[in-house]
Amino acid sequence: FGKVKTGQPAAAAGPNSSPAECNLVLLGMMGSGKSALTVKFLTKRFISEYDPLLEDVYTSEQMVDQQPVTVRVMDTCDQDGPANIERYLSWASVFVVVYSIDSMESFKRCQPYLHMLSLRGKTPIILLGNKLDMDPYRQVSQREAEDLASCFSCVFFEVSACLDFLSVQHVFFEAVRRVRRG
Ligand code: GDP
Ligand code: MG
């Protein structure tokens, strides 16, 4: 998959057009699995060790509902929570806020992101619980995640970056659909 440098604004699509581009920004605590999800979506593979400080934008051409779309995924690593947000706020067409279902701490870290994003605009947001394969060690119930999602009018999914590809792909495709709906 191809890389492009961060910070390049994408050509903005008009509010009423069906954008053929989707700039997706992954946010959330370090270790929640943002890079593993990115790699899974782009390569169908689970890469267990990934440089935790690596932050990049990956571009891929996808077909979603028989329509082509250029999906750019910005895999962030915000070590101190939602600081330095300006670099992705204007770029993003959709946000995916990730936590790990076996880490209450990672779930709690979603709240400042959701709060900050909800103050800053109407860009769609997806709340994503990762590491569903760790269900026996679950610390975050589906119910409390649904409640948090509804507080911020966002949708909520649970997936695992190391299980089936289609569930992970579904989340990214839903992000594209939300961008298309405008
Ligand atoms: P990031 O800091 O949010 O980018 O997190 P990474 O993608 O680097 O993942 C952090 C750690 O969690 C790594 O050791 C991954 O192998 C592991 N990991 C990521 N996704 C999953 C998952 O779905 N299930 C399990 N069991 N481990 C995962
Ligand atoms: Mg990472």
Side-chain angles (χ1 to χ4, degrees), residues 29-36 46-50 52 75 130-134 160-162:
M29 198 174 109
M30 255 180 113
S32 57
K34 299 177 297 296
S35 299
F46 176 65
I47 309 268
S48 64
E49 289 309 319
Y50 208 78
D75 177 24
N130 185 38
K131 308 196 189 181
L132 189 52
D133 57 291
M134 300 294 276
S160 166
C162 60

Side-chain angles (χ1 to χ4, degrees), residues 20-175:
E21 302 187 336
C22 173
N23 291 348
L24 187 153
V25 177
L26 285 162
L27 299 171
M29 198 174 109
M30 255 180 113
S32 57
K34 299 177 297 296
S35 299
L37 289 164
T38 301
V39 172
K40 181 77 165 195
F41 171 62
L42 296 170
T43 70
K44 303 191 182 172
R45 283 166 212 272
F46 176 65
I47 309 268
S48 64
E49 289 309 319
Y50 208 78
D51 179 354
L53 297 176
L54 196 70
E55 180 166 295
D56 224 321
V57 176
Y58 304 92
T59 302
S60 103
E61 306 300 327
Q62 301 282 334
M63 287 295 280
V64 179
D65 304 329
Q66 290 85 48
Q67 286 179 60
V69 57
T70 302
V71 179
R72 297 188 193 88
V73 180
M74 186 188 288
D75 177 24
T76 68
C77 75
D78 268 342
Q79 287 170 282
D80 342 294
N84 191 16
I85 57 174
E86 301 301 330
R87 73 187 188 287
Y88 53 70
L89 263 181
S90 56
W91 182 84
S93 41
V94 58
F95 293 101
V96 180
V97 180
V98 183
Y99 67 94
S100 170
I101 69 154
D102 65 350
S103 162
M104 182 52 81
E105 190 194 356
S106 71
F107 180 67
K108 297 247 182 274
R109 284 280 284 275
C110 290
Q111 201 148 339
Y113 283 110
L114 294 170
H115 184 69
M116 175 273 292
L117 295 175
S118 66
L119 292 176
R120 296 297 292 263
K122 292 196 173 10
T123 308
I125 308 167
I126 291 174
L127 178 64
L128 182 58
N130 185 38
K131 308 196 189 181
L132 189 52
D133 57 291
M134 300 294 276
D135 197 47
Y137 309 98
R138 181 188 281 276
Q139 290 183 2
V140 184
S141 71
Q142 290 195 350
R143 179 60 201 267
E144 57 198 318
E146 277 160 14
D147 288 349
L148 181 65
S150 70
C151 281
F152 292 96
S153 322
C154 54
V155 274
F156 157 64
F157 297 99
E158 283 185 349
V159 294
S160 166
C162 60
L163 297 179
D164 68 303
F165 164 71
L166 288 177
S167 307
V168 173
Q169 186 190 52
H170 178 72
V171 174
F172 285 81
F173 280 14
E174 276 300 300

Side-chain angles (χ1 to χ4, degrees), residues 13-19 93 122-124 175-182:
N16 297 319
S17 65
S18 175
S93 41
K122 292 196 173 10
T123 308
V176 169
R177 294 185 183 109
R178 260 145 233 283
V179 171
R180 281 179 178 163
R181 269 177 236 155

